[in-house]
Amino acid sequence: MGVTTMQDVADRAGVSIATVSYVVNGTKAVTPATRAKIEAAMADLNFQRNRAARALAIRRTQNLALVYPALERRLGATSVEFLTSAATAANRSDYHLTLWPVSNDAVGLKDLLSAGLVDGVLLMEVLLDDPRVTTLRDAGTPFAMIGRTADPSGELYADIDFDATVSAALDRLESLGHRYVALIGERGGTGALPGYGPQVRTDEAFARLVAERGLRSVTVGCEQTASAGSDITQQLLAEHPEVTAILVRNEQATLGVMVGVRQAGLRVPDDVSVIALGTTGDISTMSSPALTMMQSPGEELGRLGVEILVDYLESGTRTPPQLVPCTFLPGASVAPAR
Amino acid sequence: MGVTTMQDVADRAGVSIATVSYVVNGTKAVTPATRAKIEAAMADLNFQRNRAARALAIRRTQNLALVYPALERRLGATSVEFLTSAATAANRSDYHLTLWPVSNDAVGLKDLLSAGLVDGVLLMEVLLDDPRVTTLRDAGTPFAMIGRTADPSGELYADIDFDATVSAALDRLESLGHRYVALIGERGGTGALPGYGPQVRTDEAFARLVAERGLRSVTVGCEQTASAGSDITQQLLAEHPEVTAILVRNEQATLGVMVGVRQAGLRVPDDVSVIALGTTGDISTMSSPALTMMQSPGEELGRLGVEILVDYLESGTRTPPQLVPCTFLPGASVAPAR
DNA sequence: CTGAAAGCGCTTACAG
DNA sequence: CTGAAAGCGCTTACAG
């Protein structure tokens, strides 16, 4: 029932409570015979050491906070993967993950930190210029970012490798003969944060890579709805009829882009290839033809974020930045250039 | 820095630590003058009482576990809303929400409970016959369900009001002259759990309500992909050409259904109206025409679940079951019957 | 109204 | 290798 205490175990094993603690934690060497008695007693009593008491004694809670913006940005299905993976990774290291929805302006963040509730913070949806990072740094709270600020040097973080992601998408398109590629991103709308890293870094990577490869290109943005995606796509294809491939980094607009191609009198993928960037696999099966996509590594980022943070907490190790490319998810929306 | 202790406050205010505790917790009456001194000292020192010490002393952690199946069922965007709302509601009552992804067979659930890590559990994605419920009940852990088992009597829960939801959808269709309505649910696929409540209860409500209203109806199911949705829809419309409206309770297939209507040579909503049941608003803007839907009350369920649980923990109140209908989200996929 | 003191269940120098 | 005891920072009868 969880009411068994270390004292109960000690009594039953006929040893002191200190010795029980030594075997539970592996802190000190203990005679095999003594250890056996204690382990038997623990099994009999179904002993689980009390977290609160331990936390008080060692002055660490083994709790991690997952801080994310409650309202500012709608989190999609990728986030659930991310959360689950982070929580699972935490559990593996005997930590727990507490959900901490706060507003982006860092209100409420300070109170959290001083209550000694958590040992460290995992920060999601990091902005290029993020007040929460400043707050955490000033407070001296250990933290790791998922994403990164404009200048993240010296901080702990894991992020998407936007360069490798865009590069992989272009590789595939080039190999199929595409020479004129469009990028549709976000613009306006309630979900678009100013200085949102993934957007800015994707744009930069795209601009540089098409130049390096000598590809023709065009970049536009639209609000995060299907109809905006459809509209911008029709306009795009009217103004740049030679475009044969579109990269979309705008989850809500993606399916609208597919519709827009059709409404322009063209077919996916026969006339125009479409690759969705950085979304979750769900959307692929939701569309027909199934979308070809570069899938966000939500699971890997969740795990890495926790590992980086825990390593730092446990051993002071400052793991270098971890950049993970999106993974290619085959679909039916890409074909050779017409 | 969080290192200020109650003793520090007591020293600075020139009182005993007990008195500080009294004003912090409002446990006992304290002279206005004394209170003022203590409050000033707390403000000066930026005091936050230590959670672990408090938890140890009062034998309650003020932590809640959010238990959900890590792998068995893909959680969609509704879940994020739900999580956020639950966490926010918990914070409002000075509780915290810890993520607890476990497998559906309840492995790992027992350890959680005996470590005294949480005071109660919020259970998501409840099955009609759910082993986790048995485990929790046997362990004597306070818990509240989001959803419910086949016989939830005596338990604490909040769930969707499937009757009211289907009824509202039918109201709308009937008022537009629809007399022959199809329901497309889930079947097979990796995400379909045997005895998944929302599916079973929607089917039951639909069957009963169409009978009561004297509507013609047909019920089918398909896997959770757009292509399955498209296929089943074409087949459905071929076999039942007089169907003028479709309810879809299969998030992944929904957009496929729209495609299927078109491929059957019909238009949405001119020839066939479509209403999505129990999904998140995201999907509405992702489709064009925008989907009309009955939106899952994720936010309300998250809040209610926590409130029910906290009320029970704090005062032993057993709030009666809370059933919340999905809310109508207007779109462009419904029109008068042809 | 206020305080001294025991107790919550662990951990960890320190002594033996 | 094992144990007695102090201490982590609170809460709460109990006494005054």
Side-chain angles (χ1 to χ4, degrees):
Chain A
M1 300 283 89
V3 290
T4 325
T5 147
M6 207 171 250
Q7 189 58 254
D8 297 335
V9 175
D11 292 349
R12 175 175 260 254
V15 296
S16 85
I17 185 185
T19 309
V20 176
S21 178
Y22 299 147
V23 351
V24 169
N25 298 301
T27 342
K28 285 192 185 180
V30 166
T31 299
T34 311
R35 165 185 305 277
K37 276 190 302 185
I38 292 173
E39 280 171 347
M42 292 201 296
D44 291 351
L45 300 173
N46 192 233
F47 171 72
Q48 291 273 120
R49 74 186 162 195
N50 180 291
R51 303 287 291 211
R54 176 176 163 79
L56 182 57
I58 68 175
R59 252 152 304 183
R60 299 198 297 118
T61 59
Q62 310 225 121
N63 266 142
L64 268 24
L66 185 75
V67 171
Y68 67 102
L71 307 168
E72 282 84 349
R73 193 176 175 81
R74 288 194 53 79
L75 300 178
T78 309
S79 309
V80 182
E81 260 174 42
F82 174 85
L83 295 179
T84 299
S85 152
T88 304
N91 293 352
R92 217 165 14 232
S93 303
D94 203 24
Y95 277 73
H96 294 285
L97 196 67
T98 298
L99 238 38
W100 210 273
V102 296
S103 61
N104 252 340
D105 52 14
V107 170
L109 200 48
K110 287 200 87 147
D111 291 346
L112 152 69
L113 305 175
S114 43
L117 187 77
V118 300
D119 300 333
V121 167
L122 207 59
L123 201 60
M124 280 180 75
E125 299 287 326
V126 176
L127 304 178
L128 292 174
D129 179 18
D130 202 312
R132 303 171 302 168
V133 172
T134 316
T135 301
L136 289 167
R137 205 186 279 133
D138 290 354
T141 309
F143 70 100
M145 303 182 275
I146 305 302
R148 56 195 136 137
T149 54
D151 176 16
S153 51
E155 304 296 354
L156 299 171
Y157 66 89
D159 197 2
I160 292 175
D161 187 335
F162 298 98
D163 259 61
T165 300
V166 173
S167 191
L170 291 178
D171 280 350
R172 199 154 296 259
L173 292 173
E174 272 200 283
S175 73
L176 291 169
H178 295 272
R179 306 292 301 159
Y180 194 170
V181 182
L183 170 64
I184 299 181
E186 293 170 10
R187 187 177 53 206
T190 51
L193 295 171
Y196 187 56
Q199 158 120 21
V200 171
R201 295 205 165 84
T202 299
D203 285 355
E204 284 173 1
F206 182 72
R208 193 163 37 65
L209 289 167
V210 292
E212 280 175 22
R213 294 163 181 239
L215 296 171
R216 294 179 70 191
S217 74
V218 50
T219 301
V220 296
C222 72
E223 297 199 359
Q224 302 181 68
T225 65
S227 58
S230 170
D231 292 348
I232 195 88
T233 303
Q234 291 178 66
Q235 185 183 333
L236 173 78
L237 294 172
E239 292 173 7
H240 305 268
E242 291 159 58
V243 162
T244 61
I246 303 177
L247 301 181
V248 190
R249 206 206 67 73
N250 182 331
E251 184 156 9
Q252 297 295 312
T254 306
L255 298 178
V257 169
M258 309 276 277
V259 172
V261 172
R262 269 179 233 116
Q263 294 189 336
L266 300 168
R267 289 159 307 165
V268 176
D270 313 71
D271 301 311
V272 177
S273 291
V274 177
I275 299 183
L277 252 35
T279 54
T280 173
D282 275 355
I283 208 179
S284 171
T285 52
M286 280 181 14
S287 93
S288 77
L291 262 170
T292 299
M293 48 201 300
M294 299 300 300
Q295 205 174 173
S296 279
E299 191 171 326
E300 196 160 358
L301 288 179
R303 183 176 57 71
L304 282 172
V306 167
E307 286 176 359
I308 290 171
L309 183 55
V310 169
D311 277 358
Y312 177 66
L313 292 172
E314 308 254 277
S315 63
T317 310
R318 299 195 68 88
T319 310
Q322 302 288 306
L323 294 184
V324 187
C326 292
T327 57
F328 180 75
L329 180 72
S333 64
V334 171
R338 67 174 184 272
Chain B
M1 303 279 87
V3 291
T4 325
T5 145
M6 208 171 248
Q7 189 58 256
D8 297 334
V9 175
D11 291 348
R12 175 176 259 256
V15 298
S16 85
I17 185 185
T19 309
V20 176
S21 178
Y22 299 147
V23 350
V24 169
N25 298 301
T27 342
K28 286 193 186 179
V30 166
T31 300
T34 312
R35 166 185 303 278
K37 277 191 302 184
I38 292 174
E39 280 171 347
M42 291 202 296
D44 290 352
L45 299 173
N46 192 230
F47 171 72
Q48 291 273 123
R49 74 183 164 199
N50 179 291
R51 302 287 290 212
R54 176 174 163 81
L56 182 57
I58 67 176
R59 254 152 304 184
R60 300 199 296 119
T61 59
Q62 311 224 120
N63 267 140
L64 268 25
L66 184 76
V67 171
Y68 67 101
L71 306 167
E72 283 83 351
R73 192 173 176 82
R74 288 192 53 79
L75 300 178
T78 309
S79 309
V80 181
E81 259 173 44
F82 173 86
L83 295 179
T84 300
S85 153
T88 304
N91 292 351
R92 219 166 11 235
S93 303
D94 203 25
Y95 277 73
H96 293 286
L97 195 67
T98 298
L99 238 38
W100 210 273
V102 296
S103 61
N104 252 340
D105 51 14
V107 170
L109 200 49
K110 287 200 86 146
D111 291 346
L112 152 69
L113 305 175
S114 44
L117 186 76
V118 301
D119 300 334
V121 167
L122 207 59
L123 201 58
M124 281 180 74
E125 298 288 328
V126 176
L127 304 178
L128 291 174
D129 179 18
D130 201 311
R132 301 170 302 167
V133 172
T134 316
T135 302
L136 288 167
R137 206 187 279 132
D138 290 354
T141 309
F143 70 99
M145 304 182 275
I146 305 302
R148 57 195 135 136
T149 54
D151 176 16
S153 51
E155 305 294 354
L156 299 171
Y157 66 89
D159 197 3
I160 290 174
D161 187 335
F162 297 99
D163 259 61
T165 300
V166 172
S167 190
L170 290 178
D171 280 350
R172 199 153 296 258
L173 292 173
E174 273 199 282
S175 73
L176 292 168
H178 295 272
R179 306 291 303 158
Y180 194 172
V181 183
L183 170 64
I184 299 182
E186 294 172 9
R187 186 176 56 205
T190 50
L193 294 172
Y196 187 55
Q199 157 118 24
V200 171
R201 295 205 165 85
T202 300
D203 286 356
E204 284 173 2
F206 181 72
R208 191 162 38 66
L209 290 167
V210 291
E212 281 174 21
R213 292 162 182 242
L215 296 172
R216 293 181 70 192
S217 74
V218 50
T219 301
V220 296
C222 71
E223 297 200 358
Q224 301 180 70
T225 65
S227 58
S230 171
D231 291 349
I232 196 87
T233 302
Q234 290 177 66
Q235 188 185 328
L236 173 78
L237 293 173
E239 292 173 7
H240 306 268
E242 291 159 60
V243 162
T244 61
I246 303 177
L247 302 181
V248 191
R249 206 207 66 75
N250 182 330
E251 183 157 11
Q252 296 296 310
T254 305
L255 298 177
V257 169
M258 308 277 276
V259 172
V261 172
R262 270 180 234 117
Q263 293 191 337
L266 301 168
R267 286 159 307 166
V268 176
D270 313 70
D271 301 311
V272 177
S273 291
V274 176
I275 299 184
L277 251 37
T279 54
T280 173
D282 274 356
I283 208 178
S284 171
T285 52
M286 282 183 9
S287 94
S288 76
L291 262 169
T292 298
M293 49 202 298
M294 300 300 298
Q295 206 173 174
S296 279
E299 190 170 327
E300 196 159 0
L301 288 179
R303 183 177 56 72
L304 282 173
V306 166
E307 286 176 0
I308 290 172
L309 183 54
V310 169
D311 277 357
Y312 177 66
L313 291 172
E314 308 253 278
S315 64
T317 311
R318 300 194 66 90
T319 310
Q322 302 290 304
L323 294 185
V324 187
C326 292
T327 57
F328 180 74
L329 180 71
S333 64
V334 171
R338 67 173 184 271

